[in-house]
Amino acid sequence: MSSQSVKNLYEKWGFPIIGGLLFLIIFYYAYSKINPDYYTLRDDGIITLSHAKNWVDFGFIGVGPSGERIEGYSAPVQFFIYALIYLVTGAGFSAYVKAQTLICTFALGFIFTLFFKEKKYSSLIVSAIAALLLTQMTSFIQWHGSGMENAITHVLFALTAYLLFKFVRDREIDLRLAFIPFLASLSRLDGIYHIFPLLLLFAIYWTVFEKNKKGSIFLALSMLLWLAYNAWRFFYFGDLNPNTAYAQDISISQRIISQLGLDLSTLKSSVVLSRTILSAHGGFYLFLLVPLLKFVQWKKNYRFLFVISLSVIFTAWFNPFLFGPTRLDTTRSTTQMAFFAVLAIICVVDSLNKEKAWRRLLFIIPAAITIYCIGYIPPYSMCCGIKAFDATRQEFAKIAHEEDLPRPTISNPDLGVMSWHKQFNIVDLGMLGSQIMAKLKNGPAMADYFFEYAAPDMIESHGAWSCQYLESIFSDPRFRQMYVPVREEIGHSKFCGEKNLPVGVWVRKDILKHSTSDERHLIDALRLNLSTERLKKELAVCQSNAKKSNSCVYVARTAYRFLPELRQSGKIEALLDIFSTSKTKEFDQFLITGFRDVKANEKAIKYIQDNLFSDSK
């Protein structure tokens, strides 16, 4: 490569690369001052990676080796990135998360510098200032490094803004780049709520100032990609609502109706959450810019950049009014606001007529420092790290080994690391990974599903989850009839007042090594010879002696335990034929075909609801 080529390369990319390195240095210095246990490897982030691993290892998107096809994650871009990386390299979640934080931090600095690249060395100064400001916003810096999708969201939102900014600056649109805002809209499933207004503003700008429809075409192409992806989602999962929405009771239409009807409790909650978001992500600093705006000498592209930055800030602020509180942390799903707040501030300050505005600027700096001192949030422990959950996973694995139990079905409220290792099938008390749990929730139908049909081999619960399931599961007489404690203690939760809560691990009696149950005999027989004829005979004998309609559901549960092996040997159709005569056919077939039949769960739910047991009504 000639010296001229090197010089041209440096002129084009040198400053952004240095800007990326500055972000890395400043961010990682900030991380060195924060206890890693506060923010690294959040279990909810590993849920997304677990879905991707399941897709690669077992051929369908879900969380358990035998389990159902399910969308229990809300970060599609992270899902596909990790699926590809895991397919090619086999990288574990820890290595992936470290790489994600490193690459996304560099990319964020690279993109930020691009906005001001024409100013050369001053672009590095503003990038360093931006990095310093961002590291002082605790929610932003910690969620950025958490392993969840936040870092990817930050990069894709920033890249989308830069792309639109560049189009305005160069007065030229490259329609091939419509895939970038498309990806940004899928960094989270609700990403379109933030990205569509940017594209709409861009289309309006282009129509008004450039006098042609190419901006609208760019908007249409981005939306067509988004619609095509959601059509695939509907085809693959059978629903446009992810299971996360059912699990967390997220209903946009219901929230809008409540607030339009002046439901004061909902409105008050939304206002409080919005104020928290504004404070955590630097939104209050923007009010200090108001007295400076009259001294701004805008270039057209920077005025546009300021407007789209305000758009992202507004949609983040308004987020609770549509989506309600975010799980884990009020501010988690809106951390991109911090980047755009800093971008808007620097955009204004950089465009000032310094001679006229310097006195007001000198006044604003101490005001900003005062706001920082009042509003600064020290590093805090974010929900939910994996250490305790991994200890539970190892405890489950130890019990399974001691009881000589192949591929147990476990039920606990922490899905990420528990499901990533693919040691167990899952009945998720947290509901994200189980459609029936999410759709039935508490009540007699859910209790019947849990005890009479799913009957997990092992249960673990703690804290608020024991409170949530106190009446539906832990107070149900079937819990003590069917399970024995491995360890148990009395716990308490602020959500349950003074009530004593069961905390611990329990194992089902019928699957213990020395149990004389028909289920245990069948498990042992199939371990030695995975025969569909054995299953057929077991079902026939059981049904001829059955006293309850669901007495023989253990036969399907045992087949489910070995389902990956049965699938691999091409025996699914033989299983369907066997269970076509089952008295619990709808549920049995859900277990067998849930990995491919997206409507099987609805049939199972209807069957359970139509056949409630009298002692649970």
Side-chain angles (χ1 to χ4, degrees):
M1 186 180 290
S2 67
S3 59
Q4 184 60 42
S5 297
V6 172
K7 183 178 179 181
N8 291 341
L9 194 63
Y10 176 78
E11 284 290 327
K12 187 173 184 179
W13 302 116
F15 288 104
I17 289 171
I18 296 170
L21 294 174
L22 282 172
F23 262 61
L24 279 176
I25 292 167
I26 294 168
F27 270 53
Y28 276 83
Y29 176 77
Y31 284 134
S32 73
K33 302 298 182 182
I34 304 173
N35 183 346
D37 290 340
Y38 281 5
Y39 70 95
T40 56
L41 292 177
R42 300 300 93 180
D43 193 66
D44 279 55
I46 299 173
I47 292 173
T48 302
L49 310 188
S50 175
H51 282 77
K53 187 174 189 286
N54 212 84
W55 192 29
V56 174
D57 287 350
F58 299 100
F60 67 96
I61 299 173
V63 294
S66 308
E68 61 194 296
R69 185 183 290 192
I70 191 169
E71 190 179 25
Y73 62 96
S74 56
V77 173
Q78 187 185 44
F79 167 85
F80 286 109
I81 290 173
Y82 182 67
L84 178 61
I85 290 173
Y86 178 73
L87 175 66
V88 174
T89 70
F93 57 79
S94 182
Y96 169 78
V97 165
K98 289 176 182 176
Q100 174 180 288
T101 303
L102 182 75
I103 293 169
C104 288
T105 302
F106 174 82
L108 201 61
F110 185 96
I111 295 166
F112 194 93
T113 309
L114 281 175
F115 285 109
F116 305 97
K117 187 183 72 166
E118 294 175 347
K119 300 178 184 298
K120 297 186 181 292
Y121 291 101
S122 61
S123 70
L124 300 181
I125 296 172
V126 297
S127 293
I129 292 170
L132 286 168
L133 290 173
L134 290 170
T135 58
Q136 297 308 302
M137 298 180 195
T138 306
S139 174
F140 175 89
I141 187 72
Q142 290 192 185
W143 285 113
H144 181 81
S146 69
M148 296 192 69
E149 77 283 349
N150 296 70
I152 294 172
T153 300
H154 299 156
V155 169
L156 288 175
F157 276 41
L159 187 57
T160 297
Y162 174 71
L163 187 68
L164 302 181
F165 167 80
K166 183 177 183 297
F167 290 164
V168 170
R169 183 190 66 198
D170 298 346
R171 302 185 66 186
E172 183 178 355
I173 296 174
D174 188 342
L175 296 176
R176 295 171 299 178
L177 297 179
F179 75 91
I180 290 176
F182 159 68
L183 290 177
S185 72
L186 296 180
S187 61
R188 284 180 51 86
L189 284 174
D190 58 6
I192 190 66
Y193 160 69
H194 303 280
I195 294 299
F196 178 76
L198 298 187
L199 296 174
L200 183 61
L201 287 169
F202 174 70
I204 293 170
Y205 170 90
W206 207 264
T207 301
V208 172
F209 292 100
E210 298 297 335
K211 309 297 184 185
N212 67 58
K213 297 179 180 179
K214 203 169 183 181
S216 299
I217 295 171
F218 188 81
L219 165 64
L221 283 175
S222 302
M223 290 302 98
L224 282 173
L225 291 171
W226 181 81
L227 289 171
Y229 175 77
N230 280 281
W232 172 82
R233 281 182 61 228
F234 185 77
F235 169 78
Y236 191 84
F237 296 111
D239 201 338
L240 287 177
N241 285 321
N243 200 57
T244 53
Y246 293 110
Q248 300 175 66
D249 290 319
I250 298 173
S251 173
I252 297 174
S253 60
Q254 188 58 50
R255 288 193 67 83
I256 291 173
I257 291 168
S258 294
Q259 290 168 116
L260 289 178
L262 299 181
D263 182 327
L264 294 181
S265 62
T266 305
L267 279 170
K268 183 178 179 180
S269 169
S270 298
V271 169
V272 170
L273 292 172
S274 295
R275 188 173 61 214
T276 302
I277 287 168
L278 200 65
S279 176
H281 302 321
F284 284 120
Y285 295 117
L286 296 170
F287 294 110
L288 298 177
L289 299 179
V290 174
L292 294 177
L293 291 178
K294 66 180 292 187
F295 302 110
V296 172
Q297 297 177 325
W298 290 114
K299 289 183 179 178
K300 188 180 293 185
N301 52 332
Y302 283 106
R303 180 191 289 116
F304 175 77
L305 179 60
F306 180 69
V307 169
I308 62 173
S309 295
L310 291 182
S311 173
V312 177
I313 292 164
F314 175 80
T315 54
W317 172 80
F318 197 72
N319 192 80
F321 289 89
L322 292 181
F323 301 103
T326 304
R327 195 172 184 175
L328 306 184
D329 183 341
T330 297
T331 63
R332 184 185 70 79
S333 67
T334 53
T335 51
Q336 66 274 4
M337 177 198 271
F339 179 87
F340 284 93
V342 170
L343 184 60
I345 290 166
I346 291 178
C347 196
V348 168
V349 173
D350 186 68
S351 301
L352 287 174
N353 181 323
K354 305 300 188 297
E355 293 180 3
K356 294 182 178 180
W358 70 269
R359 291 184 180 177
R360 294 196 182 192
L361 195 60
L362 287 177
F363 167 77
I364 286 169
I365 290 173
I369 293 172
T370 301
I371 291 174
Y372 167 77
C373 292
I374 293 172
Y376 174 71
I377 301 171
Y380 60 96
S381 182
M382 304 186 315
C383 186
C384 300
I386 67 170
K387 284 187 177 180
F389 307 152
D390 200 46
T392 301
R393 177 188 67 82
Q394 294 177 42
E395 186 175 8
F396 280 152
K398 181 182 177 184
I399 295 168
H401 176 73
E402 290 172 349
E403 299 300 333
D404 202 18
L405 186 64
R407 195 176 287 122
T409 296
I410 62 93
S411 187
N412 82 311
D414 305 301
L415 184 65
V417 71
M418 191 67 67
S419 68
W420 188 89
H421 290 273
K422 308 306 170 189
Q423 297 167 289
F424 316 114
N425 289 317
I426 310 287
V427 176
D428 183 21
L429 290 181
M431 296 177 282
L432 297 179
S434 297
Q435 293 183 80
I436 295 181
M437 291 292 290
K439 291 175 181 177
L440 291 180
K441 299 213 183 302
N442 293 328
M446 192 280 288
D448 276 357
Y449 163 69
F450 193 84
F451 291 114
E452 302 289 347
Y453 298 95
D457 301 325
M458 291 176 273
I459 302 170
E460 184 273 335
S461 187
H462 53 271
W465 293 106
S466 292
C467 174
Q468 178 164 336
Y469 290 105
L470 180 61
E471 301 300 327
S472 55
I473 291 179
F474 297 112
S475 295
D476 191 299
R478 289 171 288 190
F479 175 61
R480 296 297 176 185
Q481 291 165 7
M482 295 172 61
Y483 291 87
V484 292
V486 175
R487 61 174 173 85
E488 183 175 9
E489 59 189 83
I490 299 300
H492 295 89
S493 168
K494 64 182 180 180
F495 301 104
C496 267
E498 299 300 316
K499 291 180 181 178
N500 292 333
L501 304 174
V503 172
V505 172
W506 300 266
V507 62
R508 188 157 57 88
K509 297 174 186 177
D510 280 354
I511 54 83
L512 294 173
K513 184 176 6 182
H514 300 299
S515 170
T516 59
S517 71
D518 291 336
E519 183 172 5
R520 183 69 215 205
H521 288 319
L522 182 60
I523 291 169
D524 292 337
L526 291 182
R527 289 188 66 183
L528 297 175
N529 179 19
L530 193 54
S531 165
T532 53
E533 284 301 314
R534 178 70 172 84
L535 286 165
K536 184 176 182 179
K537 180 180 178 181
E538 184 81 21
L539 183 63
V541 171
C542 177
Q543 291 199 140
S544 67
N545 300 317
K547 295 180 180 179
K548 291 200 309 183
S549 62
N550 74 317
S551 295
C552 304
V553 76
Y554 75 88
V555 183
R557 277 202 308 266
T558 305
Y560 178 77
R561 192 183 298 273
F562 297 100
L563 199 60
E565 292 78 15
L566 290 164
R567 287 177 59 205
Q568 194 170 20
S569 58
K571 295 179 179 178
I572 294 299
E573 297 309 317
L575 285 177
L576 286 175
D577 184 59
I578 290 169
F579 290 102
S580 66
T581 60
S582 168
K583 293 178 181 177
T584 54
K585 179 177 69 173
E586 291 84 352
F587 179 75
D588 297 347
Q589 292 191 345
F590 160 70
L591 290 182
I592 294 164
T593 65
F595 72 94
R596 72 182 189 190
D597 183 355
V598 295
K599 297 299 181 182
N601 74 90
E602 294 178 8
K603 298 173 187 175
I605 288 172
K606 186 177 187 306
Y607 174 80
I608 293 165
Q609 290 174 327
D610 289 346
N611 293 273
L612 290 179
F613 286 77
S614 58
D615 60 351
S616 65
K617 286 182 179 178

